Amino acid sequence: MQLQGKAALVTGAGSGIGEATARLLAKEGAAVGCLDYDEREAREAAERINKDGGRAIPLVADIADPGQVAAAVERVVGEFGRLDIVVANAGINGVWAPLEDLTPEDWDRTLNTNLKGTFLTVKYAVPHLKKQGGAIVVTSSVNGTRTFSNTGATAYSSSKAGQVAFTKMIAVELGRWRIRANVICPGAIHTDISESTEKRNLEHVRIPIEFPKGGQIPAADDKPGESAQVAQLVLFLVSDASSHISGTEIWIDGAQTLVRG
């Protein structure tokens, strides 16, 4: 097993990409802290891992709350004795609306969860990662990195672009402690993040771009990807197989954004 003896923290581990990642890391030998905003989902994710022979604990926190994030990190270290891997995956789509309809509160909620939440997750983990080195993976998106055609997704796309810049900055800062940091940018993936989307007054907003009628995901028979495929990428990036990769964004979208940018 590639991660035997290591401990990981995965945020947003209750469903989708986070859950698939937590299960795969556990299968490869890591002890996993499954953090989610939803207590039931965090508990069930940890229970599934333990039932399959892995080792996991549930953690409940709002990643935009410094005290809750710090406490969750300390719980992982207290339980497992170390922290080697951080997967900052939790996030929301938030409100998608024309600029004049996007409120300051809408903006703050999206940026606080997605960007501030990433910062807090990494910030409180860093002192523990410095003890022996480790790996950080941040889940961004094709939105804000290659795709700018989803009208109304201004706050979301800004938060995702910010995550890429954040990851590159910390890759340089933390390299001397043998900590690698990379960011993944999924395209269309079967997850339930759409449940966190509120679309407002977009029906009359015209996007002056014509997209191809077919073949919008060339490498996948025009089908969305699966969370398990993203989890495999995360595993690669936190394992020794990617020991010379840091500060890099990797798109996982079946070439979707090359034809629908």
Side-chain angles (χ1 to χ4, degrees), residues 177-190:
W177 285 280
R178 295 180 295 110
I179 300 171
R180 296 183 298 105
N182 292 288
V183 56
I184 61 173
C185 302
I189 305 292
H190 281 300

Side-chain angles (χ1 to χ4, degrees), residues 16-261:
I17 291 171
E19 181 190 11
T21 297
R23 295 183 72 175
L24 183 58
L25 299 189
K27 182 179 179 182
E28 290 295 329
V32 182
C34 298
L35 187 151
D36 203 272
Y37 184 80
D38 187 301
E39 181 178 3
R40 178 184 59 82
E41 291 191 347
R43 183 181 67 252
E44 290 179 352
E47 287 175 352
R48 281 190 287 269
I49 289 173
N50 292 324
K51 184 178 179 181
D52 290 340
R55 185 182 179 193
I57 58 171
L59 304 164
V60 181
D62 176 354
I63 60 168
D65 185 299
Q68 292 184 32
V69 176
V73 171
E74 292 306 314
R75 171 92 190 283
V76 171
V77 176
E79 185 75 22
F80 302 140
R82 60 189 293 151
L83 181 58
D84 307 270
I85 296 165
V86 174
V87 182
N89 167 78
I92 60 172
N93 277 347
V95 174
W96 289 21
L99 280 177
E100 61 269 31
D101 296 321
L102 191 67
T103 69
E105 292 77 17
D106 296 331
W107 176 275
D108 287 346
R109 179 169 179 258
T110 301
L111 271 290
N112 282 342
T113 300
N114 294 352
L115 189 53
K116 180 183 177 183
T118 296
F119 158 68
L120 293 174
T121 300
V122 175
K123 169 184 170 60
Y124 292 114
V126 160
H128 304 287
L129 295 173
K130 282 183 175 180
K131 294 177 182 179
Q132 72 284 312
I136 298 165
V137 174
V138 173
T139 302
S140 177
S141 171
V142 296
N143 288 287
T145 58
R146 270 184 174 173
T147 296
F148 298 90
S149 54
N150 285 319
T151 298
T154 309
Y156 178 76
S157 294
S158 295
S159 73
K160 294 293 145 178
Q163 286 178 315
V164 173
F166 172 81
T167 305
K168 292 185 176 186
M169 289 295 296
I170 65 172
V172 175
E173 177 180 338
L174 301 177
R176 63 187 294 185
W177 285 280
R178 295 180 295 110
I179 300 171
R180 296 183 298 105
N182 292 288
V183 56
I184 61 173
C185 302
I189 305 292
H190 281 300
T191 70
D192 55 7
I193 192 172
S194 60
E195 296 176 5
S196 69
T197 310
E198 179 187 341
K199 294 187 177 182
R200 187 185 301 158
N201 300 331
L202 293 175
E203 60 272 14
H204 302 301
V205 180
R206 177 174 173 268
I207 303 175
I209 300 173
E210 291 186 6
F211 297 127
K213 297 298 183 182
Q216 293 190 9
I217 310 180
D221 297 325
D222 211 20
K223 296 178 182 178
E226 300 294 337
S227 295
Q229 293 173 300
V230 183
Q232 289 286 348
L233 175 58
V234 176
L235 173 61
F236 168 71
L237 290 172
V238 302
S239 73
D240 290 341
S242 62
S243 59
H244 201 53
I245 300 176
S246 191
T248 298
E249 70 267 50
I250 299 178
W251 288 273
I252 176 166
D253 67 348
Q256 174 189 10
T257 53
L258 298 180
V259 297
R260 191 182 185 275

